[in-house]
Amino acid sequence: RNLPPTDIQVESIRKIEDQVYVLERAKVGTLVGTVRVIDPNPNEEYLYRLIGLAATRSLDLDEKGRITTKIVFRRDLREELPLEIEVEDLGGNVFKRSFTFVVRADTEENSLVLGSRENLGALKVFPNPVRDRLFLRLPVHGDLVIRSVVGGPIYESSHPAGGLELDLSAYPPGVYLLRYVSEEGTRVFPLIKE
């Protein structure tokens, strides 16, 4: 018996609850997030749909569940884009969920900073999403691991405090997890590769 999906999530580095952030002035085709379907049936396949005229004019949702930009967003024209994502499984079961995409200014302040705001040596990672070169500022010596959410590690190394540049151009687009372990603790967060 084919049971219906129970939830839809959007995996994105720029997400708080059901709000996903889109950076203004990002190029057409920029990966915004990936749809993940929660389903009791293993190995299910889905048809993905965006619902809403503004959403279908502004974003694209492909057959693998990747959401990309169709336009260059500007905050002065639109600050929020409400939309519904609908999935249909092979058994004809349909599930919908509402999300809000929020347009944010593309500034260095929007790069991901982990650590206290008072700590000028906070871990800094940019750009995110990344196309080829990823830059990091490491506050202290630590171990860095980047792994695919569907596979094993793609990068593992120990690094002193300071700047670091990694070439990720050989890796396929998708969501990765970056894990940084230091004497201050462990930090894990998603990294989007375009």
Side-chain angles (χ1 to χ4, degrees):
R1 179 173 115 114
N2 191 318
L3 299 171
T6 57
D7 197 11
I8 298 172
Q9 298 174 353
V10 175
E11 293 178 348
S12 173
I13 184 65
R14 291 176 165 72
K15 180 176 178 238
I16 298 175
E17 295 177 359
D18 289 340
Q19 290 189 343
V20 179
Y21 297 108
V22 180
L23 291 181
E24 70 175 339
R25 297 187 306 272
K27 292 190 277 186
V28 171
T30 296
L31 181 67
V32 176
T34 304
V35 175
R36 184 169 154 245
V37 181
I38 311 301
D39 193 323
N41 305 307
N43 305 316
E44 187 73 82
E45 292 183 25
Y46 306 97
L47 295 173
Y48 299 93
R49 294 183 199 94
L50 286 177
I51 299 174
L53 186 59
T56 57
R57 286 183 176 169
S58 307
L59 298 168
D60 187 40
L61 178 57
D62 72 12
E63 69 279 353
K64 294 184 178 179
R66 292 182 300 228
I67 304 169
T68 54
T69 57
K70 288 170 88 172
I71 63 168
V72 176
F73 284 86
R74 288 180 36 200
R75 287 181 65 210
D76 58 336
L77 297 178
R78 176 181 286 277
E79 289 191 18
E80 291 188 354
L81 178 65
L83 60 91
E84 277 191 318
I85 296 175
E86 178 181 275
V87 294
E88 181 178 349
D89 66 18
L90 294 177
N93 297 307
V94 175
F95 188 87
K96 294 181 196 177
R97 182 155 180 208
S98 297
F99 293 88
T100 301
F101 282 62
V102 179
V103 181
R104 285 290 176 107
D106 187 10
T107 63
E108 188 170 317
E109 283 122 27
N110 280 332
S111 62
L112 184 61
V113 178
L114 298 175
S116 68
R117 292 204 176 270
E118 295 78 30
N119 179 6
L120 296 177
L123 172 63
K124 222 174 180 185
V125 179
F126 59 95
N128 195 359
V130 60
R131 196 172 290 274
D132 47 24
R133 298 232 173 254
L134 180 69
F135 299 92
L136 300 96
R137 189 176 76 201
L138 308 175
V140 294
H141 180 273
D143 298 322
L144 181 68
V145 177
I146 301 175
R147 69 173 49 245
S148 166
V149 294
V150 295
I154 63 166
Y155 181 88
E156 279 184 278
S157 188
S158 185
H159 291 281
L164 176 64
E165 178 180 346
L166 299 176
D167 182 4
L168 301 181
S169 59
Y171 300 102
V175 179
Y176 294 80
L177 293 177
L178 190 149
R179 182 172 180 247
Y180 180 65
V181 180
S182 72
E183 60 195 29
E184 295 181 349
T186 300
R187 299 167 183 148
V188 179
F189 58 93
L191 175 69
I192 294 179
K193 170 70 170 65
E194 295 182 332

